[in-house]
Amino acid sequence: NINILDVDLNNPDIEVKPVMASEAFNRLDEVKDQAQKVKAIAAVNANYFKYDGTPLGTLVIDGEWISGPLYDRISMGITSGGKVHVDRMNLHGTIETSNPQVPSLWVNNINQPRRHGSKLVAYTRRWGSQIKMAYSGVLVAVDSTGRVVDKSNQVMGIPYGGFVLSDTKNSVVSKLNRGDLVFLEWHSKPSHWADVTQAVS
């Protein structure tokens, strides 16, 4: 059986958006349970995810990047005006800091598992309460005001409203110190994805 839902995205009384099983990536729910939780008219299973509920690929909810793209997989995005985009998209972050040794940084992704060849990845509280690396690397915690508050080489709590930068041991990010100011901005391609407010992989 194939079930088809024809949705008029120009209807102001209709909203199409992703739903997570929980606030952090630590639980899986049945689709029917997720639909009942938000009183949805209809729901469809979407995105790739790990056994614990970690999304593996693009996930945007109400304009917030919950997790970034992975493995060049196709993503579907919906703009606030109701336009749908289906693309292979790319996300990266740029960082400017007050530390003259680290004037700028390139962030490769957000809230995705570290893989072989991973560079700098940012983690928010959407990932959970902490980030734990499987090997000795560098973790830098930045609070909600953009100030570096802590450093570690393997385990780090993620500040509320802030994020943790994670990279290999000899990364330039290790030169950041407590008290440094960090400004992170995300950029997506294709450029029309700048208007996307809801998306799934």
Side-chain angles (χ1 to χ4, degrees):
N1 293 327
I2 298 175
N3 300 299
I4 296 174
L5 195 65
D6 190 359
V7 181
D8 179 7
L9 293 177
N10 293 315
N11 186 330
D13 297 325
I14 293 176
E15 183 178 41
V16 177
K17 65 187 292 184
V19 175
M20 292 175 58
S22 62
E23 284 303 305
F25 303 161
N26 58 6
R27 196 173 82 222
L28 287 175
D29 281 345
E30 295 289 333
V31 174
K32 62 179 177 59
D33 295 330
Q34 293 184 357
Q36 288 172 357
K37 182 171 66 176
V38 296
K39 297 180 173 56
I41 296 170
V44 62
N45 200 13
N47 249 59
Y48 293 92
F49 46 85
K50 290 177 68 176
Y51 62 91
D52 61 356
T54 302
L56 298 176
T58 303
L59 182 57
V60 180
I61 301 177
D62 295 333
E64 177 190 355
W65 278 94
I66 308 297
S67 62
L70 194 65
Y71 298 132
D72 206 26
R73 290 173 176 153
I74 299 292
S75 301
M76 181 188 79
I78 303 173
T79 69
S80 56
K83 187 168 185 179
V84 176
H85 299 298
V86 178
D87 297 292
R88 278 192 173 86
M89 59 86 51
N90 179 270
L91 177 76
H92 74 272
T94 53
I95 284 179
E96 295 179 0
T97 89
S98 63
N99 186 325
Q101 289 186 290
V102 196
S104 63
L105 292 166
W106 179 282
V107 184
N108 290 83
N109 215 330
I110 182 171
N111 291 336
Q112 284 296 335
R114 292 195 64 83
R115 300 175 288 128
H116 178 70
S118 285
K119 303 282 187 185
L120 188 56
V121 180
Y123 294 93
T124 69
R125 292 290 291 203
R126 291 289 195 174
W127 180 264
S129 61
Q130 67 176 15
I131 175 70
K132 185 174 185 178
M133 297 180 74
Y135 49 85
S136 181
V138 59
L139 297 166
V140 175
V142 180
D143 70 10
S144 60
T145 68
R147 191 173 297 277
V148 174
V149 291
D150 205 359
K151 291 174 70 172
S152 175
N153 61 4
Q154 205 153 12
V155 181
M156 176 66 70
I158 303 173
Y160 283 101
F163 54 89
V164 169
L165 298 171
S166 161
D167 207 347
T168 51
K169 185 164 48 177
N170 298 320
S171 164
V172 67
V173 76
S174 65
K175 295 179 179 178
L176 287 173
N177 299 308
R178 290 187 185 192
D180 288 344
L181 290 173
V182 172
F183 175 71
L184 170 60
E185 186 174 21
W186 293 103
H187 311 273
S188 56
K189 290 183 182 179
S191 58
H192 55 248
W193 270 72
D195 297 328
V196 165
T197 55
Q198 317 290 345
V200 293
S201 176

